[in-house]
Amino acid sequence: MSLREKKIAKKKEEILRSAATVLAEKGYHGTTMEEVAANLLMTKGSMYYYFKNKDDLLYQCHQMIMELSLEKIEQVANSELNPIEKLRNAVKSHVLLATSEKSMFMMMDKPDQHFTGEHLEDALGQRRDYAHFFDKILKEGIEKNVFDENIDIRMVRFIILGALNWILQWYSEDGPQTSEEIAQAFATHLLKMVLK
Amino acid sequence: MSLREKKIAKKKEEILRSAATVLAEKGYHGTTMEEVAANLLMTKGSMYYYFKNKDDLLYQCHQMIMELSLEKIEQVANSELNPIEKLRNAVKSHVLLATSEKSMFMMMDKPDQHFTGEHLEDALGQRRDYAHFFDKILKEGIEKNVFDENIDIRMVRFIILGALNWILQWYSEDGPQTSEEIAQAFATHLLKMVLK
Amino acid sequence: MSLREKKIAKKKEEILRSAATVLAEKGYHGTTMEEVAANLLMTKGSMYYYFKNKDDLLYQCHQMIMELSLEKIEQVANSELNPIEKLRNAVKSHVLLATSEKSMFMMMDKPDQHFTGEHLEDALGQRRDYAHFFDKILKEGIEKNVFDENIDIRMVRFIILGALNWILQWYSEDGPQTSEEIAQAFATHLLKMVLK
Amino acid sequence: MSLREKKIAKKKEEILRSAATVLAEKGYHGTTMEEVAANLLMTKGSMYYYFKNKDDLLYQCHQMIMELSLEKIEQVANSELNPIEKLRNAVKSHVLLATSEKSMFMMMDKPDQHFTGEHLEDALGQRRDYAHFFDKILKEGIEKNVFDENIDIRMVRFIILGALNWILQWYSEDGPQTSEEIAQAFATHLLKMVLK
DNA sequence: GATGAATGAGGTTTCATTCAT
DNA sequence: AATGAATGAAACCTCATTCAT
């Protein structure tokens, strides 16, 4: 990657982060290009140098955070840990990522309300991929006889993902618990649900 | 309530239900008054006879569903059942309500993105009330020694509410499980998390 | 047609005429919705009540004038006159229409620069239809032995249409000749070209 | 002219030709500097080294083609040919030039839509000059008793110019007639209009 | 000479809202 | 009680133009 390309990439990320912040606060339709730009002391027009249109901006926002998340969970799922540790790590890692990058995660909700066509396909695909890693861990846990064989994998996965995504709705840096503590608590309680 | 008032109330509810459907699908800013009206074979203008403005419409939508939910959970929490049954029933009742009135529940997300001022206060208050009922059940369970005394009530409540609210993101009438089965599965798994 | 529909139709035509005036002066891209509206003491926004978008406005403008023209020439071509009179009348009628509705005719140029897809098809089709009537008259003249059998119908038609359409570029109400006189002169000279 | 100046002049002409092509296809307002530049594998910004602004570009485009045309017709009008041959040659030469440089001629329409102030004066002046040469030929023909003394010179000139300029609207390299044949046909038919 | 980046004015379009009827 | 018509603010987006490098 040339120097110039690096510079562009950096600027793009800057914009994406700004966008994510505003998007998280106001939602897709509630966010204006003006605001995203103002956030960066840029002008509306300049942003169109980097992104084709608002949809594109949103999509790439989604991409960025999705790639981050997928990378993390893939790493955990493919590690040499036992299923218990895998699940614990997956949960913790999601909590830590979500709380530290709250604004970016915020916009992962309701893809079908924001995306259409190919973008929607992509977004849903990535979401499925993410979910799949949890299924994999759960299945492995059952096979290895450390998780309760009666659990309904699909339901458990929905419960875990729901709990994790809900964090954005209530988490605040000034809350009574640090994100570490939350991660710990979530891991503990969710594990209790699946252990024998 | 006079006959006329009844008629108005009925019409209002009709509009609210239509609005909820569209709002659920497209989100607040993505929904136009036109669409809501068209859905009812009405005209945009007419709706202003019943609602002061779009915000008001959204707010009353929110109210309607919140009242329904609060009523249900209050009933359960104040019943004579033991904590286990209370929690089971609270979960089940939420699942059944959410799946049957999906469109109405859909819009309960992110109140701070939609409401301001007094309306926001109200909405957050109701949400807190709802959450409080779960806390109450959990506390009672611990006191009565049927729930694990080590659980972190706040965290558990967040997990439960997260799992419940997330249902809207994946539930489909044509899915592999009926809402009854889902309710059952959720109750079972979530209970496992809190039992001794 | 109901009263209301009539009113709408009238308003639409009002707008179309205003649009035609501005379009004639500034060309398609040079014309703004603002100007068209201002011309009628309307607001930009109001025009979208009557027309889907700018393209739609332009297209219907084109339609209006094309229908007028086609009607006129069809009438002449299908009359009982001899070919000489037919050609004379067709020319005269075009001159009179073009000079009296200069602004509307002005925009018939370069349809492929303004229209796309189906609209382009339509516009080109109508243009072909119009041209066809001239061919028909010319052919009839040759068959009836009143026009020179050596003329190249296609070329002659192009010459006539070119001369007629060019009028818009130079005609002015304050010019030295009335539109009647121009019509007369055009008819005379163009006829001379085709007579035996 | 220094070598450097020559290089610049060459580049300028390159740009003008590219611009003419795009302008012909999309019209003034429909053409973006971006497109013109892209056509030459240049960047938008670079073009401002050669041209002050878009208007300037258009104007110089117009100039280039106008000079070409004027040169041709002046040559014909001032030749030693008899009026008949002069008119025939003027017509033919215009046809051949217009068909071979279609894109450049295309933009000669409606100067008052594109130019203002001094540029408009200039453009109209050149147009008048061009027209004048036809008048001169026609007058000479009448004086020398080879053209019908009853023709209305102004009208005939308008007919001829209209027919000639219209060619751009229908001519295509793949059409049934070569440009030579068209030139021939136009000369023949238009002459017939003015001969005794 | 050339260009990448930024800008801002201006255009099109949408939509909540109003109001006379 | 309903609605057709109008409005204007605000959104998205384009593009000629500039300028540092």
Side-chain angles (χ1 to χ4, degrees):
Chain A
M1 185 154 58
S2 75
L3 185 69
R4 194 186 137 249
E5 274 166 337
K6 256 188 222 154
K7 248 178 107 180
I8 283 204
K10 213 179 123 197
K11 190 89 189 184
K12 270 196 179 182
E13 196 184 316
E14 240 182 275
I15 298 178
L16 287 177
R17 286 190 169 276
S18 168
T21 310
V22 186
L23 282 165
E25 208 177 315
K26 316 230 177 173
Y28 180 61
H29 290 285
T31 299
T32 70
M33 295 298 268
E34 185 96 47
E35 267 173 312
V36 176
N39 226 24
L40 288 161
L41 305 180
M42 264 191 178
T43 60
K44 227 181 348 184
S46 310
M47 309 213 348
Y48 285 86
Y49 185 77
Y50 296 97
F51 298 93
K52 219 168 75 263
N53 53 33
K54 199 179 161 185
D55 275 10
D56 186 31
L57 183 62
L58 175 69
Y59 177 66
Q60 296 204 29
C61 246
H62 191 266
Q63 278 301 102
M64 182 164 69
I65 194 60
M66 258 311 188
E67 272 163 25
L68 248 168
S69 307
L70 277 168
E71 200 180 309
K72 279 261 175 21
I73 199 162
E74 188 167 8
Q75 203 179 302
V76 171
N78 294 336
S79 69
E80 294 300 324
L81 301 168
N82 66 52
I84 295 181
E85 288 313 306
K86 276 189 185 172
L87 187 54
R88 191 196 308 281
N89 278 338
V91 167
K92 277 181 156 183
S93 135
H94 186 120
V95 172
L96 294 176
L97 202 53
T99 51
S100 68
E101 305 274 6
K102 189 180 170 189
S103 62
M104 304 220 59
F105 268 77
M106 203 78 180
M107 28 145 322
M108 288 173 49
D109 256 16
K110 313 194 185 155
D112 45 350
Q113 211 166 94
H114 310 311
F115 298 123
T116 54
E118 211 175 328
H119 282 184
L120 182 55
E121 291 299 312
D122 274 19
L124 292 176
Q126 287 173 316
R127 209 179 245 246
R128 262 193 305 273
D129 289 348
Y130 194 73
H132 180 67
F133 281 114
F134 276 96
D135 285 0
K136 210 173 131 193
I137 297 176
L138 290 171
K139 221 174 289 176
E140 189 190 337
I142 294 177
E143 279 159 12
K144 294 206 171 152
N145 222 20
V146 292
F147 290 168
D148 182 349
E149 73 270 15
N150 295 315
I151 63 171
D152 179 334
I153 291 187
R154 192 162 160 266
M155 289 297 113
V156 167
R157 181 237 293 162
F158 279 144
I159 288 172
I160 295 175
L161 285 177
L164 291 176
N165 283 310
W166 191 247
I167 291 175
L168 304 167
Q169 307 277 334
W170 54 265
Y171 175 73
S172 146
E173 284 189 19
D174 316 322
Q177 282 158 305
T178 66
S179 54
E180 290 285 348
E181 289 164 347
I182 294 168
Q184 190 65 51
F186 262 58
T188 309
H189 290 103
L190 289 172
L191 263 173
K192 195 162 171 226
M193 182 172 59
V194 296
L195 289 177
K196 282 219 149 184
Chain B
M1 185 151 59
S2 75
L3 184 68
R4 193 178 142 268
E5 276 166 333
K6 255 189 223 155
K7 249 179 102 179
I8 288 197
K10 211 180 125 198
K11 192 89 187 180
K12 269 195 181 187
E13 194 184 316
E14 238 181 277
I15 297 179
L16 287 177
R17 287 192 166 276
S18 167
T21 310
V22 186
L23 284 165
E25 208 177 315
K26 317 228 179 175
Y28 180 61
H29 289 285
T31 300
T32 70
M33 295 296 270
E34 187 95 48
E35 272 171 310
V36 176
N39 221 29
L40 287 159
L41 305 180
M42 264 190 180
T43 60
K44 237 190 327 191
S46 311
M47 305 206 353
Y48 283 84
Y49 183 78
Y50 299 97
F51 298 93
K52 215 167 83 260
N53 53 32
K54 199 181 166 187
D55 276 8
D56 186 32
L57 183 62
L58 176 70
Y59 177 66
Q60 295 204 31
C61 248
H62 191 266
Q63 279 302 103
M64 182 164 70
I65 194 61
M66 258 311 187
E67 273 162 24
L68 248 169
S69 306
L70 278 168
E71 199 179 309
K72 278 263 163 83
I73 198 161
E74 186 166 10
Q75 202 179 304
V76 172
N78 294 336
S79 70
E80 293 302 323
L81 299 169
N82 67 53
I84 294 181
E85 287 313 307
K86 277 188 185 172
L87 186 56
R88 190 196 308 279
N89 278 339
V91 167
K92 277 180 157 184
S93 132
H94 187 118
V95 172
L96 294 177
L97 201 55
T99 49
S100 68
E101 305 274 4
K102 188 179 171 189
S103 62
M104 306 218 56
F105 268 76
M106 202 80 179
M107 23 148 321
M108 287 173 51
D109 255 17
K110 314 195 187 157
D112 45 350
Q113 210 166 96
H114 308 311
F115 299 123
T116 55
E118 211 174 332
H119 282 183
L120 181 55
E121 291 299 310
D122 274 20
L124 292 177
Q126 287 173 316
R127 209 181 246 246
R128 262 194 305 274
D129 290 349
Y130 194 74
H132 181 68
F133 281 115
F134 275 96
D135 286 359
K136 209 173 133 193
I137 297 175
L138 291 172
K139 221 173 289 174
E140 189 188 339
I142 294 177
E143 280 159 11
K144 295 207 171 151
N145 221 22
V146 292
F147 289 168
D148 182 349
E149 71 272 17
N150 295 315
I151 64 171
D152 179 334
I153 292 186
R154 191 163 160 266
M155 288 297 113
V156 168
R157 181 236 292 159
F158 280 142
I159 287 171
I160 294 175
L161 285 178
L164 290 176
N165 283 309
W166 191 247
I167 290 174
L168 303 168
Q169 306 279 333
W170 53 266
Y171 174 73
S172 147
E173 283 189 20
D174 317 321
Q177 281 158 304
T178 66
S179 54
E180 291 286 348
E181 288 164 347
I182 293 167
Q184 189 64 54
F186 262 58
T188 309
H189 289 103
L190 289 172
L191 263 173
K192 200 169 164 218
M193 182 172 57
V194 297
L195 289 177
K196 284 218 146 186
Chain C
M1 184 153 59
S2 77
L3 185 68
R4 194 184 137 251
E5 276 166 335
K6 256 188 223 154
K7 247 178 108 180
I8 283 204
K10 212 179 123 197
K11 191 90 189 181
K12 270 195 177 184
E13 195 185 315
E14 241 183 274
I15 298 178
L16 287 178
R17 287 190 168 277
S18 168
T21 308
V22 186
L23 282 165
E25 208 177 317
K26 316 230 178 176
Y28 180 60
H29 291 285
T31 298
T32 70
M33 295 298 269
E34 185 97 47
E35 267 174 310
V36 176
N39 226 23
L40 288 162
L41 305 180
M42 266 192 175
T43 60
K44 229 178 350 183
S46 309
M47 308 211 350
Y48 284 85
Y49 185 77
Y50 297 97
F51 297 92
K52 222 167 76 262
N53 53 33
K54 199 179 162 185
D55 274 10
D56 186 30
L57 184 61
L58 175 68
Y59 178 66
Q60 295 204 30
C61 245
H62 191 266
Q63 279 301 103
M64 183 165 67
I65 194 61
M66 258 310 189
E67 273 162 24
L68 249 167
S69 307
L70 278 168
E71 201 179 307
K72 278 262 171 41
I73 199 164
E74 186 166 9
Q75 203 178 304
V76 172
N78 294 336
S79 70
E80 293 300 325
L81 299 170
N82 65 54
I84 294 180
E85 288 312 307
K86 276 187 185 172
L87 187 54
R88 192 196 307 282
N89 278 339
V91 167
K92 277 181 156 183
S93 134
H94 187 119
V95 173
L96 294 176
L97 202 55
T99 51
S100 69
E101 304 274 6
K102 187 179 171 189
S103 61
M104 305 219 60
F105 268 76
M106 203 78 180
M107 28 147 323
M108 288 172 49
D109 255 17
K110 314 196 185 156
D112 46 349
Q113 210 165 97
H114 310 311
F115 299 123
T116 55
E118 211 175 330
H119 281 185
L120 182 55
E121 291 298 311
D122 274 19
L124 292 177
Q126 287 174 317
R127 211 178 243 248
R128 263 194 303 274
D129 290 348
Y130 194 73
H132 180 67
F133 281 115
F134 276 96
D135 286 0
K136 208 173 133 193
I137 296 176
L138 291 171
K139 219 174 289 175
E140 190 189 337
I142 294 176
E143 279 159 13
K144 293 206 172 152
N145 221 20
V146 292
F147 289 168
D148 182 350
E149 73 269 16
N150 294 315
I151 63 172
D152 179 334
I153 292 186
R154 193 162 159 265
M155 288 297 113
V156 167
R157 182 235 293 159
F158 280 144
I159 288 171
I160 294 176
L161 285 177
L164 290 175
N165 283 311
W166 191 247
I167 291 175
L168 303 167
Q169 306 277 335
W170 53 264
Y171 174 73
S172 148
E173 283 188 20
D174 316 322
Q177 281 158 303
T178 66
S179 55
E180 290 285 348
E181 288 163 347
I182 294 167
Q184 191 65 51
F186 262 59
T188 308
H189 289 102
L190 289 172
L191 263 174
K192 200 166 166 224
M193 183 171 56
V194 296
L195 289 178
K196 282 216 150 190
Chain D
M1 185 151 58
S2 75
L3 184 67
R4 193 178 141 267
E5 276 166 333
K6 255 189 223 155
K7 249 178 103 180
I8 288 198
K10 210 179 127 198
K11 192 89 186 178
K12 268 194 180 185
E13 195 184 315
E14 237 183 277
I15 298 179
L16 286 178
R17 287 192 167 275
S18 168
T21 309
V22 186
L23 283 165
E25 207 178 317
K26 316 227 179 175
Y28 180 61
H29 290 283
T31 300
T32 69
M33 295 296 270
E34 188 95 45
E35 271 171 311
V36 176
N39 222 28
L40 287 160
L41 305 180
M42 266 190 179
T43 60
K44 240 191 325 192
S46 311
M47 307 209 349
Y48 284 84
Y49 182 76
Y50 298 98
F51 297 93
K52 215 166 84 256
N53 54 31
K54 198 180 167 188
D55 276 7
D56 187 31
L57 184 62
L58 175 70
Y59 177 66
Q60 295 203 31
C61 250
H62 191 266
Q63 279 301 103
M64 182 164 67
I65 194 60
M66 257 310 186
E67 273 162 24
L68 249 169
S69 307
L70 277 168
E71 199 180 309
K72 278 263 167 89
I73 199 163
E74 187 167 6
Q75 202 178 303
V76 172
N78 293 336
S79 70
E80 293 301 323
L81 300 169
N82 66 52
I84 295 181
E85 287 313 306
K86 276 188 184 172
L87 186 54
R88 191 194 309 277
N89 277 340
V91 166
K92 277 181 158 184
S93 135
H94 187 120
V95 172
L96 294 177
L97 201 55
T99 50
S100 69
E101 304 275 3
K102 188 178 172 189
S103 62
M104 305 217 58
F105 269 76
M106 203 79 179
M107 25 146 322
M108 287 173 50
D109 256 16
K110 312 192 187 157
D112 45 350
Q113 211 166 95
H114 309 311
F115 299 122
T116 54
E118 212 175 329
H119 282 185
L120 182 55
E121 290 300 312
D122 274 18
L124 292 178
Q126 288 173 315
R127 209 180 246 245
R128 261 194 306 274
D129 291 348
Y130 194 73
H132 181 66
F133 281 114
F134 275 96
D135 285 0
K136 210 173 132 192
I137 297 176
L138 290 172
K139 221 173 290 174
E140 190 189 337
I142 293 178
E143 279 159 10
K144 293 204 172 158
N145 221 22
V146 292
F147 289 169
D148 183 347
E149 72 271 15
N150 294 316
I151 63 170
D152 179 334
I153 292 186
R154 193 164 159 264
M155 288 298 113
V156 167
R157 181 237 294 162
F158 280 143
I159 288 172
I160 294 176
L161 286 177
L164 291 176
N165 283 310
W166 191 247
I167 291 176
L168 303 167
Q169 306 278 333
W170 55 264
Y171 174 73
S172 147
E173 283 188 21
D174 318 321
Q177 282 158 303
T178 66
S179 54
E180 291 285 348
E181 289 163 345
I182 293 167
Q184 190 64 51
F186 262 58
T188 309
H189 289 102
L190 288 173
L191 264 174
K192 199 168 166 221
M193 182 171 58
V194 297
L195 289 177
K196 283 217 148 184

